Amino acid sequence: MAEWQRTHTCGELREGHVGRAVTLTGWVLITRNYGKQVFVDLRDRYGLTQVVFEADDAGLFQAANDLGREWVLSVQGTVRKRLPGAERPGIPTGQVEVEAKRLTVLNQCPPLPFSVTEFPDEEPAGEDLRLQYRYLDLRRRSLQGVLTLRHRMNKTIRDFLDARGFLELETPLLGKSTPEGARDYLVPSRVFPGEFFALPQSPQLYKQLLMISGYDKYFQIARCLRDEDLRADRQPEFTQLDVELSFVERDDVLGLMEGLAVEVFRTCLGVELPVPFPRMTYAEVMAKYGSDKPDLRFGLEIVDITDLAAESEFTVFKDAVAAGGVVRAINATGAAPKYSNTALKPGGELPKIAETYKAKGLAWMKAEGDKLTGSIEKFFPEPLKAKLKERLGVKPGDLLLFVADKPDVAADALGGLRTHLGAALKLYRNWWDEKAAHDAAEEEAAKKEKRAPAPFKHRPDHFRFLWVVDFPMFAWDDEEKRWAAIHHPFTAPMDEDLPHLESDPGKTRAKAYDLVLNGYEVGGGSIRIHRNDVQSSVFKLLGMEAEEAKKRFGFLLDALQSGAPPHGGIALGLDRWCMLLAGTTNIRDVIAFPKNQKARDLMTGAPAAVDARQLRDVGIRPA
RNA sequence: GGGGACGUAGCUCAAUUGGUUAGAGUACCGGACUGUCGAUCCGGUGGUUGCGGGUUCGAGUCCCGUCGUCCUCGCCA
């Protein structure tokens, strides 16, 4: 062992080590120069230890004076108890310090573009800067915590599935482009100029083939790639827990995943989730919440008032109903004083949100005392108003918002409003806000009482899981004038809907399910088609003739005829899981080296131009 | 492809209706200091207000364009 190598980590030393000669290595978090001592907080990913340089060794003291932030050191010294009153109960190593006897500077560091040290009241540097110097960003304690959490999550998943007989199997990255679904990332073939591999949007086909091969319990923590526009919770490459089982029905998959979720939340956050998770059909959630991934941490449910609207004198409502549309409403309880009539006028805050989702407008009433007010109130005769108040449970101070439109538009618009109002009216609190408040209060109290701060405790109601089941098989794609698979084209229709699969595709429901947590889709799967004839008719419905289906998926159709067991599975979006476990709303916060919103890597600069020669090799002419 | 927000010192931000020499904290540099722990105190360096154009006696501020970042609708089976 080289002389400078560590005997302990920076998070390890306790009172029991007092008197021991130790060597620590780490980064200088901060130095405090006090004339006769230099205090150096030495940090690694295990923790922080105070190193003291005394002035009596002039050479050593001078060297300590010259240290800067983020220098990399090896310090040999003796562990000693801190002076009485100078203990730090807040940190694990806070009872001791290391008296330095010898210092080796392993590397110096110039002033950095932003601070690696984190303080509670300090805004972190801008995200683009942090992504550009991601290796520094990742040195921050909070990100080290997140990546540690992510490791723990992955480890828990592997252990859980391994204990239940699952095999972790790998599938190719270089595959074949499939027509359905997201845009593929393409990789040109050098050997076959003009031909391309596609990077996988998911291991879907391979895992089905593995079922056919008899690997009846499979999983993989797999990277998936989709070349689509990004969001706060979407990256072009992301990680799924991909799971597939043979000889199972829907509830087997759901139950397995509930057990896994309980285990992950227990291990990672110490919270005990109640199971089973609630289940709602797609039709139910769309009607009630206007979203297929509703946040169940608050109510604010959508209510259908089409029948009442039809009886009213309001032309807009009556016309919408006559055209086959619906009128739906939400009662924003107590929100009347918070939204001025101006904010409710066309172009105002709330109507603008409704318009985002293609709604033609937003009607409203306020409950002032026992009376309903607003410009459309006069179109509702008293008995109708009474019915309206009863159905919406109106109390004084309530704000009623109405959308009259085609059912899907009304659902989208009110769903969007519901989400907005849930946040704006503070109908729920994110647990990390509660944690921040708790930590601040606890830190102060702990300092006063000279004790370690009590950790924040998660509650089960911080995490509202929901299964959404019974999705439709197909949605009409207006642009392409054809039916499109809502889940994917390998999803099995529900047995009772098989008879009208071809006659009424829009009414066919799928054996598909999504897992939703706090308004995020965190998983989705289905029971797959295991019969060649059903698979062929689904392809046909999606506008793929037999010839074409054979060309594109011939291997799958053949495989389905070669002894395919009934099978199904699910994929969990692990980045989103980690995001929700870590208490952030930004998926980039839980990925070591993420891309920015335009899918550029700000650190390496990728994507980038390549040499003409590289292009020639793969048979591509520069544009 | 559409909508919105933002861009000022290395970093985080401020700068009244368009008005003097663009400020503060922090970092950095120099100095003082016997136990600090985000030490403290004193002093100092640091700016093409993203870029280009326009309006104006005068632009960080208003207008147009452009680049960048984020949020969002479409998109993401």
Side-chain angles (χ1 to χ4, degrees), chain A residues 6 9-11 25-27 43-48 139 141 144-145 148:
Chain A
R6 69 182 168 203
T9 70
C10 292
T25 52
W27 287 260
R43 180 210 68 223
D44 59 18
R45 75 176 170 88
Y46 307 93
L48 177 99
R139 204 182 277 171
R141 177 172 273 319
Q144 294 196 336
T148 306

Side-chain angles (χ1 to χ4, degrees), chain A residues 43 250 257 260 275 462 600:
Chain A
R43 180 210 68 223
R250 182 190 75 186
M257 289 300 112
L260 177 63
V275 282
H462 289 139
R600 184 180 288 286

Side-chain angles (χ1 to χ4, degrees), chain A residues 284-331:
Chain A
E284 252 178 296
V285 290
M286 288 311 289
K288 244 176 151 172
Y289 303 104
S291 164
D292 60 357
K293 46 181 166 67
D295 190 340
L296 292 193
R297 287 175 300 170
F298 62 99
L300 212 65
E301 290 170 12
I302 297 167
V303 178
D304 190 282
I305 59 145
T306 307
D307 54 329
L308 303 182
E311 287 178 47
S312 78
E313 306 299 322
F314 189 30
T315 326
V316 174
F317 282 6
K318 290 174 75 170
D319 289 354
V321 177
V326 297
V327 182
R328 292 178 191 167
I330 47 180
N331 178 357

Side-chain angles (χ1 to χ4, degrees), chain A residues 312-580:
Chain A
S312 78
E313 306 299 322
F314 189 30
T315 326
V316 174
F317 282 6
K318 290 174 75 170
D319 289 354
V321 177
V326 297
V327 182
R328 292 178 191 167
I330 47 180
N331 178 357
T333 304
K338 291 188 178 136
Y339 290 95
S340 68
N341 293 6
T342 319
L344 294 162
K345 271 183 191 150
E349 179 189 336
L350 296 183
K352 261 166 122 176
I353 291 166
E355 282 158 30
T356 311
Y357 297 91
K358 305 276 184 319
K360 285 182 280 293
L362 181 68
W364 58 273
M365 291 187 205
K366 286 179 176 176
E368 295 186 10
D370 280 343
K371 283 206 150 88
L372 291 177
T373 63
S375 56
I376 69 162
E377 160 274 330
K378 58 180 176 285
F379 301 114
F380 285 70
E382 279 309 324
L384 202 56
K385 274 185 200 155
K387 283 189 198 169
L388 193 65
K389 282 160 78 173
E390 196 199 332
R391 189 169 304 174
L392 290 167
V394 175
K395 295 187 297 295
D398 287 359
L399 171 65
L400 313 181
L401 299 167
F402 305 89
V403 173
D405 221 305
K406 289 180 288 191
D408 54 335
V409 173
D412 284 354
L414 285 166
L417 280 166
R418 178 180 176 271
T419 305
H420 174 84
L421 289 169
L425 301 175
K426 298 191 169 62
L427 299 182
Y428 61 93
R429 267 183 97 184
N430 287 315
W431 65 259
W432 53 90
D433 293 333
E434 288 183 31
K435 181 175 189 296
H438 167 275
D439 288 356
E442 188 57 25
E443 193 184 345
E444 197 164 321
K447 216 169 193 174
K448 231 178 247 171
E449 299 161 30
K450 301 222 177 222
R451 60 173 171 84
F456 175 75
K457 275 202 165 56
H458 295 274
R459 295 192 309 270
D461 63 283
H462 289 139
F463 305 99
R464 297 296 297 271
F465 274 100
L466 168 72
W467 288 109
V468 179
V469 299
D470 296 3
F471 279 80
M473 279 284 284
F474 308 102
W476 182 253
D477 186 331
D478 227 16
E479 249 172 62
E480 304 218 358
K481 303 290 172 210
R482 66 176 185 90
W483 291 100
I486 285 196
H487 191 59
H488 56 55
F490 318 110
T491 301
M494 292 183 71
D495 300 330
E496 57 265 45
D497 291 347
L498 262 175
H500 55 258
L501 175 63
E502 301 200 22
S503 57
D504 195 355
K507 284 259 161 62
T508 310
R509 289 164 303 163
K511 289 184 183 172
Y513 31 84
D514 273 3
L515 183 57
V516 176
L517 171 54
N518 293 359
Y520 288 91
E521 185 198 322
V522 294
S526 62
I527 299 301
R528 328 295 182 187
I529 298 167
H530 69 281
R531 276 168 44 188
N532 171 283
D533 56 333
V534 179
Q535 187 66 72
S536 292
S537 53
V538 168
F539 281 151
K540 195 171 149 199
L541 252 165
L542 295 173
M544 236 183 284
E545 291 310 317
E547 252 333 279
E548 198 189 348
K550 202 173 167 187
K551 200 172 121 203
R552 286 181 158 153
F553 296 114
F555 61 97
L556 178 69
L557 294 173
D558 285 347
L560 289 174
Q561 291 188 97
S562 316
H567 62 285
I570 194 165
L572 305 184
L574 291 188
D575 311 275
R576 285 183 193 162
W577 275 69
C578 192
M579 181 176 98
L580 290 157

